[in-house]
Amino acid sequence: MAHENELIEQRLLKLEKIKEKGANPYTQQFRKSADIADVIKDFKDHETVASLAGRVMAVRSHGKSIFADLVDSTGKVQIYIKKDPAAEGNFELFELVDIGDIIGVKGELFKTRTGEPTVAVK
């Protein structure tokens, strides 16, 4: 039980930090452009911008970049966030996101060197 209370405290602390950064963690203003499966299926090798929403299922941090798996009821897509001063603190905000959180992201789709469709979050 003590371990569970520690996790809850950590999550509540992250929630407060998100609010301190001026982000509303409960907003319902985000509008997705399509389901993940549709965006992946329709993706070509040219610039495609998409707004997607889903649950964070995995996070891989690589110093100045973060990759994560975003899943909705139709499929999974990788998202990529790069530490960039012009990105208005998006990287620092995403560092507060936990596996299981439901988020919305907007960005340009590209394929990684391994050919995986990925959203470069803006």
Side-chain angles (χ1 to χ4, degrees):
M1 187 70 141
H3 181 66
E4 184 177 302
N5 288 337
E6 289 175 26
L7 290 176
I8 292 170
E9 287 178 30
Q10 289 173 3
R11 297 291 303 258
L12 290 172
L13 182 61
K14 285 184 177 183
L15 179 62
E16 285 306 311
K17 288 181 180 179
I18 289 170
K19 289 178 182 177
E20 287 171 9
K21 292 188 176 292
N24 179 357
Y26 305 113
T27 186
Q28 299 203 7
Q29 300 297 319
F30 187 82
R31 301 283 184 250
K32 65 182 190 172
S33 60
D35 291 327
I36 290 173
D38 293 334
V39 169
I40 299 299
K41 179 182 65 164
D42 296 337
F43 176 63
K44 306 289 186 254
D45 286 333
H46 62 278
E47 297 175 5
T48 302
V49 175
S51 298
L52 303 171
R55 187 176 299 273
V56 176
M57 297 303 287
V59 177
R60 299 168 299 285
S61 182
H62 300 281
K64 294 186 178 186
S65 63
I66 299 173
F67 289 89
D69 293 338
L70 187 67
V71 176
D72 70 7
S73 63
T74 67
K76 174 186 83 137
V77 69
Q78 179 172 259
I79 61 175
Y80 166 73
I81 300 164
K82 181 173 85 171
K83 190 167 190 167
D84 181 0
E88 301 175 15
N90 285 344
F91 186 86
E92 290 77 13
L93 189 59
F94 192 80
E95 288 181 310
L96 299 170
V97 170
D98 284 314
I99 292 174
D101 286 351
I102 297 171
I103 64 169
V105 297
K106 182 176 183 178
E108 189 173 301
L109 267 71
F110 71 98
K111 285 194 178 179
T112 63
R113 285 179 285 193
T114 60
E116 184 170 0
T118 302
V119 178
V121 176
K122 301 292 182 200

